[in-house]
Every structure is written in structure tokens, then in C-alpha cells.
Amino acid sequence: MRTVISRSELSEALAQLPRPFALVPTMGALHAGHAALIAAAKTSAATVVVSIFVNPTQFANAEAVAQYPRSLAADKRLAEAAGAHLLFVPDVDQIYPPDEPVPAIDPGPLALRLEGASRPGHFAGVATVVSRLFDLVRPERAFFGAKDAQQVRIVEWLAKQRNDQIAIHRVATVRDSDGLALSSRNQMLSASGRTAAAKTIPVALSLVAEAFSSGVTSVALLRALAERVISAEPSLELQYLDFADGATLVPLSDRAQIGDAESGEVLVSLAASVDGVRLIDAISLP
Ligand code: PAF
């Protein structure tokens, strides 16, 4: 696996690698969830490009950017072991050159609810950097984790807008043995915070999935099941527990049934804070 830093090195390296290209955009602090993205990418492309870039435009402030975990040496080992061929680790000037304005992308209504409601501008930052990476790498395919449910839908919207036939793949969430979805943020949790998160977040979502499988379709009943688990854990602050149409992210009311979603898919997503660390998780029904 070769590592490149500048745009010129990237295009020179890409010119020598076989197509199709698959891109796995990341912000580093790689874990087994990223390895699953890289492994999935490898099954469908001749060349897997992994980018590591802590994108400042998707964070609220410089402090949050500085606090984001960084582990480049370990990331290189993980990316190579998982099957990446090229690692692109640009600095900010390579992505946002001072003399070449990068147009900001507004993802519209998909970006306004859920994570977007408490992180204004976040998804504009994500869409802008992903579009920029698409321009630089020109992949045939790109791979994103299903856990970041709103992000993957916004990237799908972006790919349609760009109309350059980049296929977006959703890769199933990878969970630790205690059920917690893998996330770079988990390393910021205390031991007790981690236990609290693991015994509530994935449990609440599994209960919803199990109840739905056994025939419960009322949004109000499914919501109550999940809320009971989460409210039993005082160290967890629930920010939202949302049932929305899986395509439009328009919320379903508590009077609705799961089958009322026009797209046929319901996204059940939640965000909760433990130890001041915001965690998200999601499942799709059916
Ligand atoms: O999910 C992430 O790590 C980031 O939001 C992404 C897609 C790499 C864009 O910076």
C-alpha cells in the first residue's frame, strides 16, 4: 500500500492503478468498522483508495477538530491489512486550496433533522468534502457505514446530484461483543460510560427490531419500548429517538404504523450522550 499526501501524488499514483476504483473516505482513528468498509470495497473494485482527512468544515469549531482522535501509524497498518492499495492523507490546503475556492454543497432538507438539527452546517461540510474527494479520486464506487444513517443518505443524494455514476454502498454496522456500534468516539468513553452505552443503545434498538419482527407495528408502542430501556440509565442523555421514512427522513408520527412509510423503509435512529460523548446508532425496518 502506498501513502500519498498531495493532489499531484494522488493523481500520479491513480494513473498507474487499475480501474475500477473504490473510495473509502474516513477521518482516521480506524477500527474494525472501517476494515469492513475496506474489505467490502475490495470485493468490487481492482483498486481500493482510503482517504484520511479530519475535515474542519464538518465540525462546530477548531477545538472539536483538534480533539478528534488521530492515530496515523496504526491507521496505515489497519488499512493495509484490510486490503487498501492507496492511502490518501491530505492536509487542509490540499482539499481546500487557499487560491481555489471549493463550492460548498447544501444538502437541503435531508440535512435539517436528526444530527443536522443539533449540528448546523455539519452535513454541508460532509457533502462538500465527499464531493471534493470524488473529484480528486474519480471512483466508480464509494463505501459508507450504515451506522451513520443520515450521512449515507446525504451521500446518496450527492451522488445523484453529481450524476457521474458513482455507486454508493451502505455497509452493515459492525458491533463490539457488548453490542455497541464501533465508532472512533467510543475511545473517549470512560469504562462506566461504555457499560452504560452498551446496555442501553443497542439493546433499545434490538428490542424495537424484535418487537417489529413479532408483529408490533405501532410507532408509539415501539418508541415506548426503546425509551423504557434508555430512561432506566441515568448517565445517558437521550437527544432523540426517531422513526422516519428511510428515504426522505420525514418523521412518522406516533399514530403511524411502520407500514405507513412511503418508501417502505423506516429508519429508527437515536443519539445519546454519555460522559459528554455523543453516540449515534440506527437500524432499518423491515
Ligand atoms: O464518516 C466520516 O468519517 C466522515 O464524515 C467522512 C464521510 C469521511 C467525511 O469527512
Side-chain angles (χ1 to χ4, degrees):
M1 182 188 75
R2 185 171 164 199
T3 301
V4 294
I5 288 166
S6 68
R7 284 174 293 161
S8 54
E9 283 177 311
L10 174 71
S11 56
E12 179 228 308
L14 289 172
Q16 291 162 16
L17 288 164
R19 283 192 175 271
F21 296 164
L23 174 65
V24 181
T26 81
M27 296 203 297
L30 302 185
H31 50 63
H34 297 106
L37 297 179
I38 297 168
K42 211 175 168 200
T43 63
S44 68
T47 295
V48 177
V49 183
V50 175
S51 61
I52 296 181
F53 178 61
V54 181
N55 172 37
T57 67
Q58 69 188 77
F59 288 87
N61 51 50
E63 198 190 343
V65 178
Q67 277 169 359
Y68 198 82
R70 284 163 173 85
S71 51
L72 186 57
D75 290 352
K76 282 186 181 172
R77 288 194 292 275
L78 184 144
E80 182 155 32
H85 301 97
L86 184 63
L87 190 64
F88 179 41
V89 193
D91 63 22
V92 174
D93 284 0
Q94 295 297 317
I95 296 294
Y96 303 114
D99 53 352
E100 191 189 312
V102 173
I105 294 175
D106 175 2
L110 275 178
L112 298 180
R113 299 187 59 251
L114 306 172
E115 288 304 286
S118 53
R119 303 180 71 186
H122 169 69
F123 287 118
V126 170
T128 303
V129 77
V130 170
S131 190
R132 181 78 175 137
L133 291 166
F134 284 176
D135 286 342
L136 296 176
V137 177
R138 297 260 161 221
E140 277 78 12
R141 308 173 175 284
F143 288 74
F144 294 83
K147 177 180 79 73
D148 296 315
Q150 189 171 13
Q151 168 169 284
V152 78
R153 283 158 178 81
I154 286 169
V155 172
E156 286 163 358
W157 167 88
L158 171 72
K160 272 197 200 120
Q161 296 291 308
R162 290 174 53 96
N163 198 22
D164 50 4
Q165 316 302 322
I166 299 174
I168 306 302
H169 295 254
R170 295 182 190 179
V171 178
T173 303
V174 179
R175 295 181 182 279
D176 245 323
S177 53
D178 60 5
L180 198 62
L182 294 188
S183 162
S184 310
R185 288 168 179 239
N186 293 354
Q187 55 186 277
M188 299 190 251
L189 294 170
S190 66
S192 62
R194 163 136 205 148
T195 305
K199 71 180 197 204
T200 49
I201 296 173
V203 174
L205 291 175
S206 302
L207 273 178
V208 169
E210 281 160 25
F212 175 71
S213 300
S214 55
V216 181
T217 60
S218 150
V219 169
L221 286 179
L222 294 169
R223 177 194 297 286
L225 273 176
E227 278 177 354
R228 198 173 312 139
V229 175
I230 290 173
S231 60
E233 176 49 62
S235 64
L236 206 82
E237 190 192 320
L238 182 64
Q239 268 136 32
Y240 61 77
L241 168 64
D242 191 87
F243 289 69
D245 184 287
T248 60
L249 301 185
V250 171
L252 294 179
S253 83
D254 273 352
R255 290 186 304 282
Q257 304 293 313
I258 294 299
D260 294 343
E262 272 182 33
S263 68
E265 180 198 9
V266 171
L267 177 70
V268 186
S269 61
L270 67 81
S273 290
V274 199
D275 292 338
V277 180
R278 185 186 169 84
L279 300 174
I280 59 172
D281 203 346
I283 55 166
S284 284
L285 302 177

